[in-house]
Amino acid sequence: MTILTRNPFCSRFSITWINCIMGCVSSVSYSVLINGQSYGHIVPHRGIRQGDPLSPFLFVLCTKALIQILNQAEKMGKVSGIQVNGSGPSANHLLFADDTLLICKASKEECSEIMHCLSQYGHISGQMINLDKSAITFVTKVEEETKHYIMNR
């Protein structure tokens, strides 16, 4: 818990509020109903279940940190998003439910920066990217050498 309070993205939250939320997440337990009778006492060891009403709220709060990190990298010219027209805003990420789409140029430099952003986010939030559930899509003009480098990063 003290790691969260030293985190620059969490410094705006009161430690009392953080403790309250962590209490909601860590005090969950389940039992199974069989023919109307309660059996067993199951205590999950990781996170909260997907259908928990608190889950989307916490996801939005956590991804605010990721969004800030990605936008900061874009402002510094280390990551570029996609722009529909020259005068419109660019987008380097899209979020839906608990899915995240990251958009950048297929270059070694931008790949390294995206990985750095994800690492920084993981350090701050405690969430790690599940590479087994991740995918990369390239446009047709990306060279095979670049594709190979990025996919093995």
Side-chain angles (χ1 to χ4, degrees):
M1 193 91 64
T2 54
I3 293 172
L4 288 174
T5 59
R6 291 187 204 142
N7 171 336
F9 295 105
C10 292
S11 62
R12 296 183 193 134
F13 295 112
S14 159
I15 189 65
T16 305
W17 188 84
I18 292 171
N19 287 335
C20 241
I21 294 297
M22 290 307 294
C24 291
V25 171
S26 61
S27 65
V28 175
S29 65
Y30 307 97
S31 61
V32 179
L33 287 178
I34 301 175
N35 295 327
Q37 293 279 51
S38 178
Y39 291 95
H41 185 72
I42 303 165
V43 179
H45 294 285
R46 289 187 54 188
I48 56 179
R49 63 184 175 82
Q50 190 169 354
D52 192 300
L54 192 57
S55 184
F57 176 68
L58 292 176
F59 177 76
V60 168
L61 282 177
C62 289
T63 55
K64 292 284 279 179
L66 178 60
I67 291 166
Q68 186 172 351
I69 292 168
L70 291 168
N71 287 341
Q72 210 169 30
E74 187 174 14
K75 282 180 190 172
M76 294 169 55
K78 296 180 176 183
V79 173
S80 55
I82 190 169
Q83 205 168 11
V84 177
N85 68 35
S87 62
S90 67
N92 58 29
H93 64 276
L94 296 172
L95 306 171
F96 179 75
D98 62 350
D99 294 323
T100 303
L101 172 67
L102 302 177
I103 305 163
C104 68
K105 287 183 183 173
S107 70
K108 294 177 180 181
E109 296 78 22
E110 289 207 21
C111 170
S112 294
E113 185 60 28
I114 288 287
M115 294 304 288
H116 175 72
C117 289
L118 293 174
S119 173
Q120 189 178 6
Y121 172 69
H123 178 73
I124 289 169
S125 69
Q127 295 181 322
M128 302 310 295
I129 305 305
N130 185 341
L131 297 177
D132 293 332
K133 292 183 176 181
S134 300
I136 301 173
T137 303
F138 297 99
V139 294
T140 55
K141 296 181 181 183
V142 178
E143 296 176 7
E144 287 302 316
E145 178 189 335
T146 304
K147 287 181 186 179
H148 183 73
Y149 173 84
I150 291 171
M151 290 189 313
N152 292 307
R153 179 78 165 92

